[in-house]
Amino acid sequence: MYCYQAYGLQVRSVIECPELWAGDPALPADLTVELGPVPEALDNPGKVGVTYQATRNEFLLTARGVARYWVRHGTHVTVQRQDGSDDDSVRLFLLGLVFSAALNQRGDAPLHASAIVVERDGLPAGAVLFAGDSGRGKSTLAAAFRQCGFVSLSDDISVLRRQADGKVFVYPAFAQIKLWQESVQMLDLPDDLPAIRPNLRKYAMRFAGDSQMSPPLPVIAVYGLDVGKGAGVRLQPIEGFDKVKKLQDNIFGRQYAQVMGQHGRQFAALLALAQQARVCAVERPEGVPSVVELMRAVQADWEQS
Amino acid sequence: MSGIYWLASYPKSGNTWFRAVLSNFLRSSEQPVSINDLEGGPIATDQQWFNQLTGLDAGDLLVDEIDQLRPAVYEHAAAASAEPLYLKIHDACRRLADGQWLVSARATRAAVYLVRNPLDVVVSYAHHRGITPAECVRVLNRAEATGRGRMQLKQLPCYMGSWSEHVASWLEQDLFPVLPLRYEDMLAAPERCFAEALQFLQLPHDSTRLATALRFSSLDELQRQEQVCGFDERPAASSAAFFRSGRAGGWRDVLAAADVDAIVQAHGPVMRRFGYLADDGSLL
């Protein structure tokens, strides 16, 4: 069993995951990942999608040709690999979609967002999140900031948890950012980054080896990224209840989260976040050659807030 | 009864105009329907819709994996809707590597297939993609996918095949009924053509309602709307308005002889079949 931590959880896994930060063996496991048989279907699923089924406490995902995953109570993941599957593909779905199902089951609020650490007076002060649908530029933006010396907390899925004092923190996920080939080239990254899966032109920037895991941090701002028709970058602060709606729209796994019965708790976290953090809608033109203007816009916004 | 009516075509063959007329007919309101709110969406290759229904991120999937999930996505959508769905599609109607048909017969009620003179398609599509007519000829003549080299922001990979292959793929299958409609006929005799289409779609016959729908979808109206509020489906790379001219035969003013020859050479048989080429090889 390998010992990791991710999303603030102690993870014990029979599958080796070099992306994950090392865990603390003295602490009890929050989430266990094992290999084993996975049922064909769940009893009375409350929600059925094309590849998944969900009940209140169970989630089943089929990634054809890769593996089937069974997540229970937010504490146990069983993986049944399919013939011919490769390790990278098995891990890709495990660390993203499957973990996010577990987080939803636990009542956490996983956002479809990448997060970086921002400092004030040289010390970590909080986290800024870049949220949005796939392909909107969250990872590219986070990677660009990382290149400028910022610490990356998470990529693609950022977990929010309300603390005892009501503040909403985001938890470090793991030391990886996934980038399309175009972004790798735009950011002038090495051309020998490993592909996240065989035959896919998407690559992993991995840095568990040369950095330390950040502690969880309070969220300062969330920037919802989208592509618009205008010529430049447009940043629009969101006010009032629209903030909560924007955040809800970015819950990862929201199509089945409701069936898991945790939406009340998630909603409370998003409500608290809306009160504590800036939420802005940011639009950029399609097919931009550079991310600099976008970086300037968001950084200027969080620094003056 | 539920199920999908596909609004199928090679790009720039009148699909949007058809959807505008259909939308105005269905909604029958006092004002023209907004061009950014037409029936026919999400397009069959819409990535967010795919992600939502599969629970996956298409960005993490191989092209084959995406393709092989699409039939189930359409079946899922059809089953979830009590009403028929109208979905625009530019893909060729083809068989996938695992034997499934991309366009699931189980999800499908029928398809309307729009055909337009490929010479006019070249002119229009070249503007749409911001490329030269000569480059566009190569696109129509080649079995080509829209490609994954550049990550497609909102679209799944779409395989069209060459123009002739595309037409044949939809019209020479026996999975579900298809009504072919010539764009030029729609222009010349809109009341008759659209009435036939609406009947095929099992919609009620209502000539007054259709007349209004046609008026609300006139080129003038579509152009006016595009000027005022933009058209979401017009790509950033486009070198002209989406609703540009709409006429038939514009190719004569624009295409070089070599481009015309290349199209005729590649697509003669299908052009003849649809009355774009006479038996003696002259262009109609």
Side-chain angles (χ1 to χ4, degrees):
Chain A
M1 274 281 189
Y2 297 93
C3 175
Y4 299 116
Q5 58 182 317
Y7 304 112
L9 304 175
Q10 290 294 323
V11 179
R12 302 292 175 266
S13 170
V14 299
I15 298 175
E16 190 180 4
C17 300
E19 304 89 335
L20 301 185
W21 298 104
D24 184 345
L27 293 175
D30 297 306
L31 183 69
T32 308
V33 180
E34 289 170 319
L35 292 168
V38 167
E40 290 295 318
L42 298 179
D43 291 333
N44 298 314
K47 176 82 181 161
V48 177
V50 173
T51 61
Y52 67 87
Q53 295 182 359
T55 64
R56 194 177 175 87
N57 293 309
E58 293 182 69
F59 179 83
L60 206 59
L61 175 75
T62 300
R64 200 173 133 188
V66 176
R68 300 182 54 251
Y69 305 85
W70 185 27
V71 189
R72 288 158 287 156
H73 303 279
T75 56
H76 283 82
V77 176
T78 306
V79 180
Q80 182 171 10
R81 290 182 69 149
Q82 306 204 310
D83 290 337
S85 63
D86 65 276
D87 295 344
D88 290 332
S89 299
V90 173
R91 275 192 345 273
L92 176 65
F93 296 108
L94 174 69
L95 298 181
L97 296 163
V98 175
F99 269 28
S100 113
L103 293 164
N104 271 300
Q105 285 174 345
R106 296 175 73 95
D108 290 327
L111 276 198
H112 202 177
S114 302
I116 59 168
V117 177
V118 307
E119 295 185 346
R120 287 203 174 121
D121 305 321
L123 292 170
V128 160
L129 272 57
F130 309 120
D133 284 329
S134 305
R136 296 300 188 268
K138 309 183 286 295
S139 302
T140 305
L141 191 52
F145 275 113
R146 184 163 186 274
Q147 279 188 309
C148 294
F150 287 78
V151 170
S152 160
L153 274 173
S154 60
D155 176 49
D156 215 24
I157 301 172
S158 294
V159 168
L160 306 174
R161 277 191 199 112
R162 235 168 100 201
Q163 309 299 297
D165 64 356
K167 284 232 136 208
V168 177
F169 276 46
V170 64
Y171 282 68
F174 44 91
Q176 174 179 274
I177 301 178
K178 297 184 297 185
L179 297 167
W180 286 101
Q181 187 169 49
E182 291 76 16
S183 294
V184 171
Q185 285 163 352
M186 179 174 67
L187 297 171
D188 229 351
L189 289 165
D191 57 11
D192 60 352
L193 292 180
I196 60 171
R197 299 179 68 185
N199 302 314
L200 193 66
R201 278 189 286 193
K202 206 164 175 186
Y203 302 93
M205 197 178 167
R206 286 186 186 139
F207 38 91
D210 54 53
S211 38
Q212 286 238 312
M213 193 183 79
S214 160
L217 290 167
V219 179
I220 291 174
V222 180
Y223 297 98
L225 303 183
D226 207 346
V227 170
K229 296 276 177 183
V233 171
R234 273 186 350 172
L235 188 147
Q236 183 71 33
I238 302 175
E239 304 299 342
F241 194 70
D242 287 342
K243 290 170 86 169
V244 182
K245 284 201 301 192
K246 186 70 161 174
L247 296 168
Q248 273 186 317
D249 285 347
N250 282 293
I251 287 278
F252 199 94
R254 61 190 176 280
Q255 62 266 58
Y256 57 74
Q258 195 148 32
V259 135
M260 292 174 173
Q262 299 284 12
H263 47 284
R265 204 166 134 190
Q266 285 180 341
F267 185 78
L270 297 186
L271 203 53
L273 180 59
Q275 285 160 356
Q276 135 195 349
R278 272 178 88 63
V279 178
C280 302
V282 188
E283 269 190 5
R284 61 164 175 91
E286 193 176 331
V288 274
S290 146
V291 79
V292 171
E293 193 187 347
L294 186 57
M295 290 172 78
R296 279 201 195 116
V298 295
Q299 187 164 7
D301 182 81
W302 85 59
E303 280 178 351
Q304 57 98 49
S305 69
Chain B
M1 222 198 98
S2 72
I4 297 172
Y5 284 112
W6 296 103
L7 308 178
S9 72
Y10 197 88
K12 312 312 289 179
S13 304
N15 203 310
T16 306
W17 179 33
F18 187 92
R19 289 160 57 216
V21 176
L22 178 65
S23 307
N24 278 292
F25 184 86
L26 287 171
R27 292 182 218 168
S28 217
S29 63
E30 309 257 298
Q31 302 294 329
V33 172
S34 161
I35 55 178
N36 292 312
D37 185 31
L38 298 178
E39 299 289 327
I43 188 176
T45 39
D46 186 273
Q47 195 180 130
Q48 298 319 132
W49 186 54
F50 174 93
N51 287 349
Q52 196 195 333
L53 288 183
T54 58
L56 299 173
D57 181 351
D60 287 342
L61 301 179
L62 304 172
V63 175
D64 276 350
E65 290 171 333
I66 294 172
D67 282 348
Q68 289 169 19
L69 283 167
R70 287 174 64 185
V73 168
Y74 304 135
E75 286 163 15
H76 200 90
S81 170
E83 298 295 315
L85 295 173
Y86 304 96
L87 291 181
K88 169 179 163 180
I89 183 167
H90 284 319
D91 294 81
C93 181
R94 64 192 172 99
R95 214 157 188 168
L96 302 172
D98 66 352
Q100 294 186 88
W101 283 89
L102 173 73
V103 185
S104 156
R106 199 158 69 190
T108 301
R109 295 189 72 176
V112 173
Y113 186 80
L114 303 161
V115 197
R116 185 182 186 186
N117 189 333
L119 296 167
D120 281 325
V121 171
V122 166
V123 175
S124 183
Y125 201 27
H127 280 291
H128 186 79
R129 286 181 59 161
I131 59 179
T132 67
E135 287 168 324
C136 200
V137 167
R138 283 198 284 279
V139 172
L140 266 76
N141 286 2
R142 199 172 57 207
E144 187 224 62
T146 58
R148 202 62 187 262
R150 178 170 184 352
M151 193 191 71
Q152 296 296 316
L153 179 65
K154 296 176 184 179
Q155 302 283 312
L156 305 173
C158 173
Y159 182 80
M160 298 192 300
S162 75
W163 180 82
S164 297
E165 286 171 354
H166 193 276
V167 176
S169 77
W170 281 91
L171 299 184
E172 287 164 21
Q173 49 79 24
D174 54 9
L175 300 167
F176 46 80
V178 182
L179 175 71
L181 271 188
R182 271 173 101 245
Y183 179 79
E184 294 77 8
D185 293 341
M186 287 156 66
L187 278 181
E191 291 83 2
R192 180 181 62 74
C193 277
F194 281 99
E196 185 185 358
L198 294 176
Q199 184 178 42
F200 178 78
L201 296 174
Q202 303 198 304
L203 290 168
H205 173 73
D206 187 333
S207 45
T208 314
R209 202 165 143 192
L210 175 55
T212 308
L214 286 168
R215 203 161 33 88
F216 283 174
S217 318
S218 70
L219 183 63
D220 280 345
E221 171 59 25
L222 301 177
Q223 284 178 329
R224 183 196 70 79
Q225 283 199 36
E226 183 177 9
Q227 267 226 323
V228 167
C229 47
F231 184 40
D232 292 343
E233 296 174 40
R234 177 180 169 274
S238 173
S239 59
F242 185 96
F243 300 105
R244 193 181 53 89
S245 96
R247 64 188 180 108
W251 65 267
R252 291 174 200 274
D253 304 331
V254 173
L255 289 185
D259 292 337
V260 175
D261 288 344
I263 289 286
V264 172
Q265 194 151 37
H267 306 294
V270 181
M271 289 177 76
R272 226 169 254 122
R273 178 178 170 187
F274 284 94
Y276 301 130
L277 197 63
D279 287 333
D280 64 4
S282 61
L283 289 154
L284 297 169

